[in-house]
Amino acid sequence: MNNNQSLDVFSTMSVPKAVIKNAVPAMVAMLMVLIYNLADTFFIGQTHDAYQVAAVSLATPVFLIFMAVGTIFGIGGTSVVSRALGEGRKEYAKKVCSFCMWACVVVGLAMTALFLAFMDLLLNLIGASEATWSYAKDYLTLVSIGGVFVLISNCFSNILRAEGQANKAMIGQIIGNLLNVVLDPIMILGFGWQITGAAVATVVGNFMAAAYYIAYFLRGQSTLSISLKDFSMKDKICSGVLVIGIPASLGSLLMSISQIVMNSLMVGYGDMALAGIGVAMKVTMITGMLAMGIGQGVQPLLGYCVGAGTWDRYKKTMKFSLWFALLLGIAMTLLCCIFTDQIVLAFVTDPSAFAYGVEFSRILLSTSSLFGVFYVLTNALQAMGAAVPSLIINLSRQGLIYIPALFVLKAWLGINGLVWAQPVADILSLLLAVILYEKDVRKPSSKAPEPVPAAA
């Protein structure tokens, strides 16, 4: 498929087919992210050391900070690039893409230096105990070293979708995540490296994914560019990316921070409770990752409609996407509810950790069927360039609502209150998303958003 043909999915293909064609590869890619997240916990669980499982639960939200920063340039870049392509402004889109690439390199190196320099302080902040300290430190040290690759792979798994290359975006993620899954049992169990092996597999997987995306551009297959000669911060390139990317990433960043807060509160109930909540979160990730994939797949379709001014197509895309997301969310939640015991048992065998994992999973699954609707609405706001509503939603779900709910519900319900805080935040943030969407972009044809500026 050449580049002009790849853009046909945005303009002429039937709406259901276009949504499926763009969303399914994104969902598959997110499913691979899920599998690799589950693989780390699963194979570490085969060591029958619940303290290592607890250490991964502590370290995961810190690792997700790298992914969140990659999302700044991935989601922000996708929004600006898709609108620019909709307006037929390919040179501007190339400059945006190059900016995102080199921003990932510079910011990634800075983050690696900071994480390594303040590792002990970080371990104290996330609540590592004497039993989990060395495990968490080994894992975080290695994944921090590979931080640049995490940023690049997360950034361009999104941006490629903006030019209609959903399949190539998916392939890059599959390469990285599948390699991680293959290396996990070899390094964790075969080589006996345990949690260190999981970290090495993660770094290698992200390196190979980043290498695939870089090779794609170097082979000249893209209408976009990562060349330094196309790098620019002028004409609102930097601000255009950041004004959408930062609100989008705040959801992931606050998810990491809120998990750190929750872990620090949960650790007071013992390391087995911590292991249990870590596994419960993996269970709900099954629905959550697919929901995120739908939202990410739909965003460039909506962004192109915004740039091209095809509002009827925009509305049809939204309607189909919302129903698709809701029905899939219901189906996946039912499956997870039916097989909760079996899923939890795959990760922990300690009776206490297992009991916590099952109980916590059932609480978290109470709202997981609504994830898809939330992510479609959020990505629609990002596609429109609606920075303020997007910022409000992302600040609320994992920050302004969830973190206070942790303390309030813990005081009221104890350990179960910590878990119920997430469903409460899910419901309230979804209601907020609906209100903001109805108010700001329900009738986009009445007021088209400001177009991206012309390149100098």
Side-chain angles (χ1 to χ4, degrees), residues 266-286:
M266 185 66 74
V267 77
Y269 295 96
D271 287 324
M272 294 306 99
L274 184 61
I277 191 62
V279 171
M281 288 181 172
K282 302 292 185 186
V283 175
T284 55
M285 280 177 66
I286 297 173

Side-chain angles (χ1 to χ4, degrees), residues 93-101 156 159 217 224-226:
K94 288 172 66 174
K95 292 182 178 182
V96 174
C97 184
S98 179
F99 165 78
C100 291
M101 170 67 188
F156 287 97
I159 287 182
F217 287 105
L224 305 176
S225 171
I226 60 170

Side-chain angles (χ1 to χ4, degrees), residues 75-76 79-80 83 239-248 299 302-303 306 311 314 376-395 433 435-442 444 447-452:
I75 297 295
S79 177
V80 179
R83 281 181 281 137
S239 62
V241 170
L242 297 183
V243 77
I244 295 299
I246 289 177
Q299 183 189 338
L302 298 173
V306 171
W311 305 115
Y314 175 95
V376 169
L377 289 171
T378 302
N379 279 272
L381 288 167
Q382 292 162 5
M384 290 287 295
V388 174
S390 180
L391 174 64
I392 293 172
I393 291 172
N394 284 291
L395 280 175
I435 292 170
L436 291 177
Y437 183 81
E438 290 283 345
K439 178 181 178 181
D440 292 289
V441 295
R442 181 63 176 174
K447 182 181 179 181
E450 180 182 350
V452 291

